[in-house]
Amino acid sequence: MSTIPDHSIRIAADRGGTFCDVHASYPDPANPTGPPRELIVKLLSQDPAYPDAPTEGIRRVLEAVTGEKVPRGQPLPINKLASIRLSTTVATNALLERRGEKHALVVTEGFRDVLLIGNQARPKIFDLNIRRPAPLYEEVVEVAERVTLVGFTSDPRAEERGVKFDEDGRVVRGYDGETPAEEIVRGLSGEAVRILRKPDPAVVKPQLQALREKGYTSLAIVFVHSYTYPEHEQLVAEWAGEAGFTHISQSAALLPVIKMVPRGASATADAYLTPVLGAYLNGFFSGFDPALRDTGRVEFMTSAGGLVPATQFSGLRSILSGPAGGVVGYARTSWAGEGEGRDKRAIIGLDVGGTSTDVSRFAGRYELVHESVTAGVGVVGAQLDINTVAAGGGSCLTFARGLFQAGPASAGAVPGPVCYRRGGPLALTDANLVLGRLVPAHFPKIFGPNEDEGPDEAAARAALEKVKEEINADPSTERPYSLDEVAYGFIKVANETMCRPIRALTEARGYATGEHILAPFGGAGGQHACEIARLLGIKTVLVHRYSSVLSAYGLALAERVLERQEPSSAVYGTSETTKELAGRLKRMEDDVRGELKEQGFPPERIKVERLLNMRFDGTDTALMVLGEDVPSSSDALEDFEGAFKRAYKSEFGFLLESKAIVVDDVKVRAIGSSFDDLGENVHDEVRRLRTEGKTASVSKERANGTHSVYFEELGRVPDTPIFLLDSLHPGDEVAGPAIVIDDTQTIVLVPGATALVTSRHLVIEVE
């Protein structure tokens, strides 16, 4: 009989391209009031033995924790589950592989090609063979509707000539004192909107019905100026619902921003991805007791690094759901924090997965971008600033035109690398295995027909031998290469590829790369970390105990996030606009605080950030900035102007001092914290261990075994010591060359590197 209380198991599952990682925490039956126990499950993301990896992982957790058999193929019981947190790459893969939902675009008449024309950006200006990505939508319907703004943006007499409204929104004075001929209303941004033509149901409804008869069930609606006057989009969406469309993406409801192209692209991306995501969610929930869907216990990670309930998760918010958990994980566990004497170095997150490597930077705040391009599709909305390259454990290794190549093609989870025993192609994991950087005896036994075998080193070696023969037979090869040299050549190519996005996030933005701390994670992060740090001049590497499953662990540490955004047209700095903006921010802040309280967060666990999207008048580049200094009263604002000018100077190198500052959008971001203190900070622990003299070198005699490993500096080291992480204690120092292993990860210490063991990290210093 299980002694685990009901609603006490907390699950966090990250489904990557190759592996699915599950972290579970639950009360210790022997000490219910003490620290919770933790359990890690790692399994392939795709396997014929089960239809859905996260569901299978949760099934294994329930069996391990409760001690009761939970048969495959039956709905899982939910009485023991307190929460399930998930990140998924379903929407990302659908976008990359163009496997989204067939949908139509409904747009203002005359603007059918607006998204095809785009913003005229030419990211590859010298490419002689430009291939523009195809649009996501398959058909366009133009609706005869139109609204326009009264007056013009840069009118120097705008205050004098503009339309005046009373408190109820009625026009009390027309533009330039004239009596308006058309209907004029006040938009959400405060601008005067002239309604030229309303959509005619007698025309639009048959257009929508014709789409339904062609099999369309998803729709994106994008109208001119709907960011400030969304009523026409709402009206057509209502008619579309009556016609039987099951998913309708209104651009103004998703992102009320002025720019029509990114707003429209975001709406089509949502219409393309959300139905696919919905189908995945339906499949996920079908693996559990049907009551799970209504409990509110399932949360998803968004691209911005916050959690939302399953009911609020959409395709647009899920594009970077997969890697976001890892960013939260290393930010929570590796950052030194603010304060006197703290290590001020920023953290570089290096997520080396099976398919790709994701790189990000953390210096006390999550670095976000508000316009981004994924798979050729530009979208607007807060996303973590993550750079991705196609280099990971599954990257295919080939030799072509005299060059070693690692990626961009990937072996994936099925068939996977050669050593996965499924007849896959030669991949980076095979090279690491042949070089001894993976130890078969300590690798998860999840391969073979019965999922109980380790990786096949002999097959990997045979496949690499064939490539070696091809390389040595090539006329461009100056001398014969050994098998180890060939394998390590591919490793070096992959390492350089992984360094590229790190330099883009640091050197290209004015930061010294060597003045950062490297936090590697993902299944292959520990195998490449020391060499990448050395290539970049980074001296310190922080490897968390759960680094191989840090994206899942990050989900367990993540916070619930609510955002509200409204358009604006205010000129910043006048007493009138200050009062207006302060009032809007206060109203929106009260709204999000109230919603989080309804979701069960006490006031002390709620934090609200207030932001303005600002630009210099006459420019079209706005920056979303967080205000500095707490306002003195509800009618006052933070120092947004100072924050904007610093951000603008940092981004562009100059200021337009003579220009007024315009506020395009008003935004609040509420954060509900759901985790307790993580204990002593790793930097404080290192300082304490050294100060108290509790560090000591570990001799080779304490090793749990040896293994033959290849290192560039030394060649083959047949007796490289292997240390099991669980056998090491805080204060132990392990010198390279060595390998540190636990159940889910392998950390390679190169010659000249020294690792200090702390309670939850390996702190590696690289010469």
Side-chain angles (χ1 to χ4, degrees):
M1 191 70 180
S2 173
T3 59
I4 302 297
D6 285 351
H7 310 310
S8 63
I9 304 175
R10 300 183 180 275
I11 302 285
D14 169 58
R15 185 188 185 278
T18 304
F19 286 102
C20 176
D21 303 325
V22 182
H23 172 272
S25 64
Y26 57 96
D28 186 347
N31 183 18
T33 60
R37 284 190 177 182
E38 294 177 301
L39 175 67
I40 301 296
V41 173
K42 198 174 189 75
L43 64 159
L44 290 170
S45 293
Q46 296 177 322
D47 195 296
Y50 43 81
D52 180 67
T55 305
E56 171 65 15
I58 295 170
R59 185 192 70 83
R60 296 183 188 183
V61 167
L62 290 174
E63 284 193 341
V65 173
T66 64
E68 300 171 2
K69 185 69 176 175
V70 182
R72 274 183 186 167
Q74 296 183 14
L76 303 184
I78 63 172
N79 60 305
K80 300 295 182 184
L81 299 176
S83 65
I84 299 176
R85 295 178 169 185
L86 298 169
S87 64
T88 177
T89 57
V90 168
T92 314
N93 293 339
L95 192 60
L96 291 171
E97 299 167 13
R98 288 296 194 266
R99 291 187 294 101
E101 183 76 5
K102 169 185 172 183
H103 72 286
L105 170 65
V106 176
V107 70
T108 302
E109 189 175 53
F111 289 83
R112 67 177 299 116
D113 294 325
V114 65
L115 299 186
L116 274 179
I117 296 170
N119 58 11
Q120 297 295 291
R122 291 169 172 81
K124 298 180 180 178
I125 195 168
F126 297 110
D127 197 330
L128 298 179
N129 184 22
I130 299 293
R131 295 186 179 183
R132 183 173 58 187
L136 300 180
Y137 54 87
E138 298 193 16
E139 190 165 339
V140 181
V141 169
E142 296 182 83
V143 171
E145 69 82 39
R146 191 64 194 269
V147 303
T148 187
L149 303 184
V150 180
F152 58 97
T153 303
S154 300
D155 186 351
R157 297 168 55 200
E159 184 66 25
E160 172 190 339
R161 303 174 66 187
V163 177
K164 297 295 182 183
F165 298 94
D166 62 18
E167 292 183 357
D168 297 321
R170 291 189 292 264
V171 177
V172 295
R173 191 193 74 184
Y175 183 73
D176 225 2
E178 298 176 355
T179 301
E182 298 93 355
E183 181 182 357
I184 293 179
V185 298
R186 182 167 59 191
L188 297 177
S189 63
E191 297 164 292
V193 178
R194 178 181 286 116
I195 302 174
L196 299 177
R197 190 172 186 179
K198 296 182 179 180
D200 183 353
V203 176
V204 177
K205 287 186 176 182
Q207 290 177 308
L208 295 173
Q209 192 57 47
L211 289 175
R212 284 291 296 116
E213 291 171 358
K214 293 179 181 179
Y216 289 96
T217 58
S218 183
L219 202 66
I221 306 175
V222 185
F223 289 162
V224 175
H225 299 309
S226 64
Y227 75 97
T228 189
Y229 187 76
E231 278 79 355
H232 287 179
E233 283 192 359
Q234 294 167 357
L235 195 60
V236 173
E238 181 182 334
W239 297 339
E242 294 171 358
F245 284 89
T246 57
H247 179 78
I248 304 162
S249 297
Q250 302 175 52
S251 71
L254 288 167
L255 285 162
V257 297
I258 188 171
K259 296 180 181 179
M260 185 179 183
V261 170
R263 172 163 51 85
S266 299
T268 62
D270 189 74
Y272 187 70
L273 298 175
T274 298
V276 175
L277 193 63
Y280 170 74
L281 294 183
N282 290 336
F284 173 78
F285 280 114
S286 69
F288 295 82
D289 184 312
L292 178 64
R293 188 184 288 268
D294 301 322
T295 61
R297 297 184 212 160
V298 180
E299 299 172 296
F300 280 86
M301 175 63 76
T302 68
S303 301
L307 295 166
V308 296
T311 53
Q312 297 177 18
F313 195 47
S314 66
L316 187 61
R317 305 178 77 177
S318 69
I319 293 174
L320 292 182
S321 170
V327 177
V328 174
Y330 82 77
R332 293 286 177 203
T333 59
S334 300
W335 173 243
E338 305 293 341
E340 191 72 25
R342 296 283 187 178
D343 192 330
K344 301 298 183 184
R345 287 179 293 176
I347 312 292
I348 291 292
L350 178 72
D351 181 3
V352 187
T355 306
S356 62
T357 293
D358 299 312
V359 173
S360 56
R361 182 177 182 271
F362 185 83
R365 283 184 53 77
Y366 295 121
E367 297 190 356
L368 301 173
V369 292
H370 296 273
E371 290 190 34
S372 60
V373 177
T374 301
V377 179
V379 295
V380 175
Q383 293 186 0
L384 291 169
D385 191 2
I386 298 173
N387 286 10
T388 301
V389 290
S395 292
C396 297
L397 306 182
T398 55
F399 180 78
R401 299 182 300 278
L403 298 174
F404 286 67
Q405 296 178 341
S410 174
V414 177
V418 172
C419 63
Y420 281 18
R421 301 177 183 272
R422 287 179 175 162
L426 185 68
L428 196 62
T429 296
D430 298 310
N432 275 314
L433 184 63
V434 169
L435 292 173
R437 295 168 176 232
L438 293 173
V439 184
H442 295 280
F443 204 85
K445 291 178 171 52
I446 54 176
F447 308 111
N450 299 318
E451 305 170 51
D452 58 357
E453 296 181 73
D456 188 343
E457 183 178 359
R461 187 174 293 275
L464 197 61
E465 281 282 1
K466 291 182 180 178
V467 176
K468 185 196 80 170
E469 292 173 5
E470 178 188 351
I471 292 170
N472 288 335
D474 191 276
S476 65
T477 303
E478 296 179 353
R479 64 171 179 83
Y481 288 107
S482 69
L483 187 67
D484 284 342
E485 287 176 324
V486 169
Y488 191 72
F490 285 116
I491 297 293
K492 291 182 72 173
V493 170
N495 286 343
E496 284 293 345
T497 303
M498 295 174 196
C499 286
R500 194 185 312 144
I502 297 177
R503 295 189 179 105
L505 279 179
T506 53
E507 293 171 0
R509 299 184 182 182
Y511 303 112
T513 307
E515 295 177 6
H516 289 71
I517 294 172
L518 187 67
F521 57 102
Q527 297 154 42
H528 296 264
C530 286
E531 290 171 330
I532 288 175
R534 186 169 282 170
L535 285 170
L536 296 169
I538 293 175
K539 303 300 183 186
T540 305
V541 179
L542 286 181
V543 186
H544 194 271
R545 277 184 179 270
Y546 293 150
S547 72
S548 70
V549 295
L550 198 65
S551 290
Y553 186 60
L555 288 171
L557 305 180
E559 299 163 320
R560 179 74 67 91
V561 173
L562 274 178
E563 294 183 338
R564 294 287 184 273
Q565 182 169 324
E566 295 180 359
S568 173
S569 60
V571 176
Y572 188 86
T574 68
S575 58
E576 183 178 339
T577 56
T578 296
K579 184 176 180 180
E580 178 210 342
L581 291 171
R584 292 179 72 178
L585 285 168
K586 180 67 167 61
R587 171 178 53 79
M588 295 164 70
E589 179 179 345
D590 291 343
D591 181 30
V592 291
R593 282 188 185 275
E595 190 166 338
L596 281 181
K597 286 179 182 176
E598 289 179 4
Q599 294 177 13
F601 289 90
E604 64 272 13
R605 283 184 174 263
I606 299 175
K607 173 187 171 185
V608 176
E609 297 177 344
R610 299 164 26 132
L611 305 100
L612 296 180
N613 199 26
M614 310 173 80
R615 60 180 173 85
F616 283 114
D617 190 22
T619 70
D620 64 355
T621 303
L623 298 177
M624 188 73 75
V625 295
L626 177 70
E628 299 176 356
D629 303 325
V630 179
S632 56
S633 69
S634 59
D635 292 334
L637 287 174
E638 300 92 325
D639 181 15
F640 284 104
E641 181 177 355
F644 168 69
K645 288 184 174 179
R646 278 185 286 276
Y648 196 94
K649 183 72 178 289
S650 174
E651 185 74 17
F652 302 108
F654 64 91
L655 294 175
L656 301 174
E657 297 284 9
S658 63
K659 296 285 189 179
I661 298 174
V662 178
V663 178
D664 279 345
D665 301 282
V666 181
K667 183 175 182 177
V668 296
R669 190 171 191 260
I671 303 164
S673 178
S674 57
F675 70 92
D676 296 317
D677 183 47
L678 292 176
E680 188 177 23
N681 183 284
V682 60
H683 301 273
D684 294 337
E685 185 177 1
V686 169
R687 191 181 302 112
R688 177 179 58 78
L689 290 171
R690 296 199 187 282
T691 301
E692 297 176 359
K694 294 184 177 179
T695 62
S697 297
V698 177
S699 66
K700 287 188 176 182
E701 286 69 29
R702 279 187 55 188
N704 301 97
T706 60
H707 191 61
S708 179
V709 185
Y710 179 86
F711 297 95
E712 183 179 26
E713 305 92 328
L714 305 176
R716 273 281 166 180
V717 180
D719 58 346
T720 303
I722 297 175
F723 295 92
L724 298 182
L725 188 56
D726 289 341
S727 71
L728 298 173
H729 309 290
D732 286 346
E733 286 188 316
V734 179
I739 289 183
V740 180
I741 291 180
D742 70 3
D743 291 338
T744 62
Q745 66 180 324
T746 300
I747 302 158
V748 177
L749 298 179
V750 298
T754 303
L756 173 65
V757 181
T758 68
S759 56
R760 299 186 77 83
H761 283 81
L762 280 184
V763 182
I764 305 173
E765 298 296 332
V766 181
E767 291 182 358

